[in-house]
Amino acid sequence: MSLLEINRETCTGCGACLQVCPFGALSLDSENIAIVSEACTGCGACLPECPVEALSLPEVEKKEQIPTDEYSGVWVWVEQYNHQAGSISWEMMGEGRKLADRRGTTLSACVLGYQAEPIARQAIAYGADRVFLVDDPTLEVYRTDPYARILVELVKKYKPEIFLLGASTRGRDLAGAVATYIYTGLTADCTGLEIEEGTNLLLQIRPAFGGNIMATIKCPDNRPQMATVRHHVFEMPVPDESREGQIIRETPVLPEDRIASKVLDLIVEKNEVNLADAKIIVSGGRGLKGPEGFAILHELADVLGGAVGASRAAVDAGWISYAHQVGQTGRTVRPDLYIACGISGAIQHQAGMRTSKVIVAINKDPEAPIFQIADYGIVGDLFTVVPALTRALKRRLNKT
Ligand code: FAD
Ligand code: SF4
Ligand code: SF4
């Protein structure tokens, strides 16, 4: 049953609330009075629209006010595997540095692992003023429980105002666990972070409603303001080995015998394609007409020393595996060169590739949205253009 209450005595049937409900939950009945359906989520978006205050939601019990001014500093979780930090963490450090400078505060890195001191030193080179280092055999391989419990204790002790994690598989898992324990807000998969003038709140920008709108999300009442950001959304900063910073050693919270999950074996999956690190990507979409169409893209990618990507339409059609998918529900890539062949350029595809340095679009429809973000556009049949391009490049690069 919907939580929304409609005062039938005051409703004038103006219909203003119908326009704003994102879930289409409001309509007018035969007496021209607003009614609400089961689709209502109680989001409250319609309340301020009613000119006669006929709409209301039950008062939510307010939880204890957090003293937000006691929280300061920007934190980044530095993800590591096999004694190597993930590049996603350094991208977050670069952005964290900018946010900290804008707030006139410090940037701290959280390094959890075993024999992880070299990573703590790297974190300083990448912009950290101080590093919380928790170095213990229980932390060698990522497990939710020990990692989350340490971060929760650190947050309670040092009170950061902003906490950023990479939106990797582990980062997503850890961020959710930490935010739940601390009872704060978390925005997943941000594509932009800003500081709001005046309030100094973190503006967490991300696609919403299937990528049709960009939402700006704030966390005004709880701390820290937590966000995860996808790989390649932010630029990789240049490390400065001469930077100095403080390493603060902290102890783990859970001993091995109190950690529920045990690591019995590690099986490393071999990815058939590494889109994340590819400098050149040749991507194909529904315009390829079938799986055979990808053969000409592989030829072009081979000549250029690049990898083959795909739109979701091509992946959903079963023409190529999911590992190749670029976009909101696939990989985010930032190559030097992205060649989109037979891809219309839907907003969800753009979400994964629009920050590529140079974008070339090959499409027979001059109105295709991909041309709006392309640096170079070729209007034509990809089955003619791509082989011609491959031949020309082979000649130019002496690969005949
Ligand atoms: P189409 O939109 O069908 O475009 C095909 C293009 O090929 C057309 O522009 C056409 O002019 C051109 N063409 C046809 N024949 C030729 C030819 N012979 N030569 C040259 N050009 C030709 N999409 C993604 O890609 N990645 C995602 O991660 C993703 N996530 C999504 C998440 C959600 C929640 C939703 C709702 C959608 C998502 N989508 C995603 C789907 C997205 O909305 C589009 O449907 C999809 O990107 C379209 O793929 P396409 O461009 O290959 O196909
Ligand atoms: Fe729609 Fe939200 Fe109003 Fe419910 S509360 S009717 S979901 S706008
Ligand atoms: Fe009724 Fe208020 Fe909705 Fe207008 S905006 S239809 S008055 S509930």
Side-chain angles (χ1 to χ4, degrees), residues 236-310:
M236 183 79 172
V238 178
D240 172 2
E241 304 297 336
S242 68
R243 283 193 88 254
E244 288 184 8
Q246 186 190 10
I247 296 182
I248 301 170
R249 290 177 180 277
E250 294 281 342
T251 44
V253 178
L254 293 179
E256 186 58 53
D257 60 5
R258 286 187 49 214
I259 301 172
S261 52
K262 304 287 171 215
V263 179
L264 302 179
D265 196 4
L266 274 179
I267 299 160
V268 180
E269 190 181 321
K270 279 205 179 67
N271 262 343
E272 55 182 305
V273 59
N274 184 0
L275 284 184
D277 295 330
K279 296 275 176 230
I280 297 175
I281 295 175
V282 182
S283 233
R286 207 183 330 244
L288 287 173
K289 311 269 190 280
E292 316 76 36
F294 275 97
I296 58 169
L297 299 200
H298 277 290
E299 256 190 80
L300 177 56
D302 285 349
V303 171
L304 291 169
V308 170

Side-chain angles (χ1 to χ4, degrees), residues 2 4 17 20-26 36-37 39-47 55 57:
S2 164
L4 185 76
C17 56
V20 296
C21 176
F23 305 98
L26 288 160
V36 62
S37 76
C40 172
T41 62
C43 72
C46 56
L47 267 57
L55 303 171
L57 282 166

Side-chain angles (χ1 to χ4, degrees), residues 6 10-18 28 34 49-52 54-55:
I6 301 173
T10 43
C11 173
T12 60
C14 72
C17 56
L18 278 57
L28 296 177
E49 296 305 314
C50 178
V52 293
L55 303 171

Side-chain angles (χ1 to χ4, degrees), residues 107-303:
L107 174 67
S108 304
C110 298
V111 176
L112 281 55
Y114 183 44
Q115 298 174 333
E117 187 159 338
I119 296 178
R121 300 209 173 280
Q122 267 183 299
I124 293 169
Y126 275 106
D129 300 306
R130 62 179 181 177
V131 181
F132 299 107
L133 173 63
V134 191
D135 205 316
D136 192 82
T138 54
L139 305 172
E140 182 159 20
V141 177
Y142 174 78
R143 283 177 289 175
T144 314
D145 252 19
Y147 271 62
R149 292 290 293 276
I150 289 168
L151 292 185
V152 168
E153 291 311 312
L154 289 177
V155 165
K156 284 185 184 161
K157 188 168 164 187
Y158 293 98
K159 298 188 175 5
E161 62 175 309
I162 293 172
F163 197 176
L164 309 176
L165 297 90
S168 59
T169 311
R170 282 168 279 184
R172 285 185 174 126
D173 176 62
L174 184 59
V178 172
T180 308
Y181 279 126
I182 303 173
Y183 205 80
T184 190
L186 164 68
T187 306
D189 280 3
C190 292
T191 53
L193 298 170
E194 303 281 341
I195 300 290
E196 188 175 51
E197 286 289 330
T199 64
N200 285 328
L201 286 171
L202 180 69
L203 299 179
Q204 304 157 45
I205 301 151
R206 58 151 296 155
F209 294 113
N212 291 321
I213 59 162
M214 292 303 281
T216 300
I217 296 164
K218 295 191 247 184
C219 176
D221 298 326
N222 293 305
R223 291 292 179 276
Q225 303 160 82
M226 290 186 67
T228 63
V229 180
R230 282 175 144 210
H231 206 184
H232 296 307
V233 166
F234 296 129
E235 293 226 20
M236 183 79 172
V238 178
D240 172 2
E241 304 297 336
S242 68
R243 283 193 88 254
E244 288 184 8
Q246 186 190 10
I247 296 182
I248 301 170
R249 290 177 180 277
E250 294 281 342
T251 44
V253 178
L254 293 179
E256 186 58 53
D257 60 5
R258 286 187 49 214
I259 301 172
S261 52
K262 304 287 171 215
V263 179
L264 302 179
D265 196 4
L266 274 179
I267 299 160
V268 180
E269 190 181 321
K270 279 205 179 67
N271 262 343
E272 55 182 305
V273 59
N274 184 0
L275 284 184
D277 295 330
K279 296 275 176 230
I280 297 175
I281 295 175
V282 182
S283 233
R286 207 183 330 244
L288 287 173
K289 311 269 190 280
E292 316 76 36
F294 275 97
I296 58 169
L297 299 200
H298 277 290
E299 256 190 80
L300 177 56
D302 285 349
V303 171

Side-chain angles (χ1 to χ4, degrees), residues 15-71:
C17 56
L18 278 57
Q19 313 300 324
V20 296
C21 176
F23 305 98
L26 288 160
S27 56
L28 296 177
D29 67 9
S30 54
E31 293 170 43
N32 213 29
I33 303 287
I35 47 169
V36 62
S37 76
E38 290 297 313
C40 172
T41 62
C43 72
C46 56
L47 267 57
E49 296 305 314
C50 178
V52 293
E53 296 182 7
L55 303 171
S56 60
L57 282 166
E59 281 284 310
V60 177
E61 206 182 306
K62 273 229 155 195
K63 87 177 193 52
E64 204 186 317
Q65 190 72 34
I66 300 256
T68 51
D69 52 356
E70 286 179 10
Y71 288 72

Side-chain angles (χ1 to χ4, degrees), residues 210 285-287 289 310-314 325-330 342-346 348-349 362-365 368 380-383:
R286 207 183 330 244
K289 311 269 190 280
S311 72
R312 176 160 153 183
Q325 187 179 315
V326 173
Q328 189 185 319
T329 41
I343 293 177
S344 58
Q348 296 89 355
H349 187 78
I362 302 168
N363 197 304
K364 65 179 186 184
D365 174 10
D381 186 337
L382 71 90
F383 293 100

